[in-house]
Amino acid sequence: MHMQVEETAVEPVRLFRINTGSCNGCDVELAVTSAVTEFDVEQLGCRYTESAREADVVLITGPLTVRARDEVLRLYAATPRDKVTVAIGVCPVSGGVFRDSYAVDGPLERHLPVDVNVPGCPPRPQALLAGISEALAIREARRAGVEPSRKPKQGKRPNADNFPARGRLSFDAGACVDCRMCRHVCAAGAIRFQEGEDGVRLTLWHNSCVFCGLCCHYCPTGALSVTGDWRLDHPASDTFRQVERGEIPYAPCSGCGESIVPAAPQLLHAAFRRPNPEIEKLATLCPACRQVMSIGAPRR
Amino acid sequence: MTTKIIELGPHQLALEEPMYFRVRLEGDRVADLDVMPGQVHRGMEHLVMRRNLYQNITLLERLCSLCSNSHPSTFCTAVEEVAGIVIPPRAEYLRAVADEIKRIASHLFCCAVQANAIGEIPLFRRVMEIREIMQRAKEAIYGNRMDLAANVIGGVRYDLTPEAVAYLYQAMEDMKKPLDELYLQFANNPALMARMAWVGVLPREAAVECAVVGPVARACGIDYDVRKKSPYGAYDRLDFEVATQTAGDVRARNLVRLAEARQSVSLIEQCLAQLPAGPLCADTLPEIPAGEAIAKSEAPRGELMYYLRTDGSDFPVRLKWRVPSYMNWDALKVMLKGEPVANIPLIVNSIDPCIACTDR
């Protein structure tokens, strides 16, 4: 990831970090970008500063605790007017696993404007560098008085490399049986089910997801899976577009005609290993009709 | 002699986390200090009661990212204790592998930060580069460089394929020489000796009084390691010595850490060699009855304790912790007394304070 920012080769862009009460994961990874050659921010023409007044780019970690708020806002107020602000990790954007706590006063956007989000828990150093690059592009565009270009990432955006880093989640609606175990085990509340006219819709928000993969672990049909796509940085204006969604359509029960979510073939395989045609009939039956089929009458 | 009170924050202390001290100086020496905690208070005790037992596995991994594996593994142990679940032997070994990988990375990070605090930048970078071997291994095996997501109730949710075992053996081989060199450097390098030896001394009696744990205690000659004293998981089948030192200074604490990191390499190799075949998890969705349990483990910073109380529902009724940094940062008062201001960042970092764990 070598990106040359010409003008800054002379004078480095100064990065300033603010920890708003993080678990230290993002902060330790940011320390890596100041210490390890492969990930050094120097390759982007940047260096870290300890002085808020020198900040060209502000990197903010953590869910913003009530206790840290005043100090965070004081530090932020001391930074120059034209800095670019980057939210590192999902905590500043949504609170991540810490949302809904009395001690957390996020999202950060309620208190100060954010320009770039870098989702991850924590983001890998490559993702941090990608987010910082995005901030640099915004800074350049602002200084030139133009709108920041919106499509630098398309085209040769690397989806995944040979490292199986846990990144973006992928949802296969065809395999989902609406059991909602994923939502049950999600610590960050990133998954939502909505019942509509024609089906059930799953929405997973990557600005709340902490990429732990527990949903995939407990998903009985493999409808949810973790991909290696770690490039999740985006302009803050796209915060709510970072979703994975899919609709599981209702189908009429082949017995009584009531709207049901049919059992996916993956579920039959999980339950019966080698389903025969008789078992496959179960897939399109509602629970009551299934009971009639197997025990002669609905169970009371 | 003039008395002065100064306040120090994370930027002056070279800390990754927001921690503030109010220090009373007599002349240019520290006379007393107050820790002003709470910046990282996220209301964990409240949050864990609003999340079910499964959600808490992920939430607790984010209690602190440096000892991230110790939290969910100790929590799962407590849940398993309540439910009477015996985890499969393979899972015991895989938990130990995850814990030891985290221990090496955590100890090296602590040593690196201290090198940075005394201006030894090349050493800081060197230690961080060595640590990268472990970071890469974590990402290759677990998919993340900090939060491993290795544990579930009843076992683990990752496996080591034969290729992963071979990869990890190689990574361990790559760690040996650098770790041995680092140990010698922290033990004998005159520049490091000048800054770290006889600095921030915690006498053994004071260590006992403050009830310090982990490398801070072992550096004062207190032979206490949960993995030895009350072995859990696979540790009763693994062979290692408790690393101790007697000087109780900054140097001794680092030597304990580096000796432990080297031992962790050997522990991981033993785990890989002994790794039994079999299932990874006892039961996917076990029933958790009402009950209470205490589980403890040796986290990188020392003894970590979990108290869990359940009522037969999915949600814990109570979950409480005793984290190692809590006792250790109380000992800072003793370590810092009479030290010059310039030594404060080094001494504070030498206890490897985990603010995220302590503020919760």
Side-chain angles (χ1 to χ4, degrees):
Chain A
M1 194 168 304
H2 287 276
M3 192 176 288
Q4 218 62 60
V5 182
E6 279 171 30
E7 172 255 7
T8 51
V10 191
E11 198 184 320
V13 176
R14 280 153 303 193
L15 311 176
F16 180 69
R17 296 160 46 180
I18 303 179
N19 179 336
T20 71
S22 93
C23 74
N24 69 37
C26 294
D27 308 277
V28 170
E29 290 295 68
L30 284 172
V32 165
T33 65
S34 72
V36 173
T37 311
E38 187 186 352
F39 304 124
D40 203 316
V41 291
E42 238 169 52
Q43 62 192 273
L44 302 176
C46 300
R47 71 172 177 79
Y48 283 101
T49 173
E50 293 292 307
S51 156
R53 271 169 301 148
E54 288 183 356
D56 296 313
V57 175
V58 184
L59 307 173
I60 303 188
T61 61
L64 187 62
T65 62
V66 171
R67 181 78 156 83
R69 179 187 52 213
D70 291 353
E71 178 65 8
V72 168
L73 295 179
R74 191 190 64 74
L75 277 174
Y76 187 79
T79 58
R81 226 170 233 283
D82 61 349
K83 79 267 173 179
V84 179
T85 306
V86 184
I88 302 287
V90 296
C91 283
V93 186
S94 66
V97 290
F98 308 115
R99 66 198 297 178
D100 309 326
S101 168
Y102 65 86
V104 168
D105 199 24
L108 188 64
E109 283 257 59
R110 284 192 14 222
H111 302 275
L112 52 93
V114 175
D115 297 298
V116 178
N117 295 337
V118 187
C121 194
R124 63 200 306 234
Q126 294 91 328
L128 295 173
L129 294 182
I132 294 169
S133 301
E134 189 158 336
L136 296 181
I138 290 175
R139 181 169 177 269
E140 287 305 301
R142 277 192 195 152
R143 297 175 103 195
V146 296
E147 274 291 298
S149 139
R150 290 289 300 247
K151 39 178 143 14
K153 282 179 298 186
Q154 261 124 43
K156 58 174 184 175
R157 182 190 173 112
N159 253 354
D161 49 18
N162 36 11
F163 268 59
R166 291 194 300 272
R168 194 185 295 275
L169 276 93
S170 159
F171 177 57
D172 171 11
C176 180
V177 292
D178 192 27
C179 73
R180 309 193 185 185
M181 190 61 187
C182 49
R183 188 186 63 181
H184 186 68
V185 301
C186 180
I191 297 172
R192 192 166 66 153
F193 282 88
Q194 280 165 292
E195 290 171 18
E197 287 283 299
D198 308 318
V200 184
R201 171 183 275 201
L202 174 144
T203 310
L204 187 154
W205 189 30
H206 285 116
N207 270 314
S208 191
C209 175
V210 292
F211 310 92
C212 69
L214 206 61
C215 50
C216 312
H217 176 76
Y218 282 111
C219 177
T221 61
L224 273 167
S225 52
V226 186
T227 74
D229 179 9
W230 50 269
R231 273 297 302 266
L232 290 149
D233 56 293
H234 57 272
S237 51
D238 287 346
T239 296
F240 296 104
R241 294 199 185 94
Q242 309 303 309
V243 290
E244 174 71 12
R245 53 161 65 110
E247 189 162 300
I248 315 127
Y250 291 134
C253 164
S254 54
C256 64
E258 200 193 323
S259 263
I260 59 158
V261 172
Q266 287 88 338
L267 185 68
L268 295 186
H269 277 279
F272 301 102
R273 209 170 285 171
R274 245 183 254 110
N276 56 36
E278 201 60 16
I279 287 171
E280 272 160 13
K281 278 188 198 157
L282 292 171
T284 53
L285 289 174
C286 72
C289 291
R290 277 206 300 268
Q291 284 159 16
V292 171
M293 183 179 154
S294 44
I295 55 175
R299 211 170 58 184
R300 280 196 303 134
Chain B
M1 205 179 309
T2 55
T3 302
K4 201 165 70 170
I5 296 197
I6 56 167
E7 285 194 5
L8 297 174
H11 286 279
Q12 292 90 355
L13 294 166
L15 280 168
E16 292 306 324
E17 299 187 272
M19 188 184 192
Y20 294 83
F21 286 118
R22 189 177 289 127
V23 184
R24 188 160 61 83
L25 297 176
E26 304 271 359
D28 68 341
R29 302 271 160 171
V30 177
D32 197 10
L33 87 154
D34 267 327
V35 182
M36 296 184 285
Q39 303 284 323
V40 196
H41 177 62
R42 291 147 293 166
M44 289 298 283
E45 209 166 317
H46 163 83
L47 282 172
V48 291
M49 284 160 63
R50 294 188 55 173
R51 307 271 195 271
N52 61 45
L53 297 167
Y54 302 98
Q55 293 172 311
N56 276 327
I57 302 170
T58 296
L59 171 62
L60 290 167
E61 185 145 29
R62 280 138 186 93
L63 200 145
C64 153
S65 268
L66 281 167
C67 20
S68 63
N69 194 66
S70 301
H71 287 282
S73 72
T74 313
F75 167 70
C76 289
T77 308
V79 177
E80 287 148 9
E81 179 85 25
V82 167
I85 299 168
V86 178
I87 74 167
R90 190 176 178 84
E92 290 185 324
Y93 280 89
L94 290 176
R95 275 189 188 169
V97 169
D99 262 352
E100 296 307 322
I101 289 181
K102 286 293 295 185
R103 190 183 317 279
I104 301 173
S106 175
H107 280 354
L108 287 181
F109 188 73
C110 176
C111 292
V113 169
Q114 288 177 61
N116 193 33
I118 57 170
E120 294 278 347
I121 306 304
L123 180 62
F124 163 62
R125 296 187 72 105
R126 169 103 181 98
V127 181
M128 289 295 278
E129 295 280 358
I130 298 167
R131 179 176 173 272
E132 272 303 301
I133 301 173
M134 299 317 299
Q135 294 300 95
R136 275 199 295 275
K138 283 191 264 178
E139 197 172 49
I141 292 167
Y142 304 93
N144 190 285
R145 293 161 46 100
M146 298 301 289
D147 295 327
L148 305 185
N151 298 280
V152 280
I153 297 165
V156 291
R157 61 175 166 115
Y158 82 103
D159 200 4
L160 289 177
T161 58
E163 300 81 66
V165 168
Y167 169 86
L168 207 46
Y169 263 127
Q170 185 56 50
M172 290 305 116
E173 208 52 55
D174 296 345
M175 289 302 288
K176 286 177 186 168
K177 210 167 143 238
L179 282 176
D180 290 341
E181 282 169 12
L182 275 186
Y183 186 91
L184 289 177
Q185 200 170 351
F186 273 83
N188 304 325
N189 177 309
L192 293 182
M193 290 274 276
R195 291 302 306 271
M196 293 180 172
W198 303 288
V199 168
V201 176
L202 180 68
R204 195 176 194 280
E205 308 77 65
V208 172
E209 200 149 287
C210 297
V212 295
V213 289
V216 176
R218 292 192 282 275
C220 306
I222 299 172
D223 180 4
Y224 187 84
D225 187 317
V226 182
R227 294 172 294 173
K228 244 335 179 233
K229 287 283 174 199
S230 44
Y232 52 97
Y235 287 105
D236 57 349
R237 280 146 279 165
L238 301 173
D239 179 37
F240 70 103
E241 296 283 312
V242 176
T244 55
Q245 290 279 328
T246 50
D249 55 8
V250 172
R251 174 175 170 271
R253 291 192 269 280
N254 287 329
L255 293 184
V256 167
R257 284 190 190 100
L258 289 167
E260 284 182 11
R262 184 64 182 77
Q263 248 164 32
S264 295
V265 168
S266 144
L267 285 169
I268 292 167
E269 286 180 335
Q270 291 177 46
C271 285
L272 296 178
Q274 296 177 25
L275 195 61
L280 299 171
C281 191
D283 181 2
T284 321
L285 295 168
E287 195 112 338
I288 312 297
E292 60 179 348
I294 288 175
K296 56 182 185 172
S297 67
E298 184 72 24
R301 282 154 193 77
E303 182 183 53
L304 171 69
M305 274 201 211
Y306 265 66
Y307 168 78
L308 170 72
R309 191 186 182 111
T310 57
D311 63 356
S313 76
D314 246 4
F315 289 81
V317 181
R318 203 91 175 92
L319 183 58
K320 282 185 77 72
W321 303 260
R322 194 180 79 162
V323 299
S325 291
Y326 184 72
M327 290 76 75
N328 290 354
W329 82 12
D330 208 40
L332 279 176
K333 282 186 184 167
V334 182
M335 294 178 193
L336 282 169
K337 202 172 176 108
E339 291 284 348
V341 179
N343 279 350
I344 297 177
L346 172 67
I347 296 172
V348 168
N349 276 298
S350 78
I351 67 159
D352 203 2
C354 182
I355 293 103
C357 275
T358 316
D359 279 352
R360 294 195 287 274

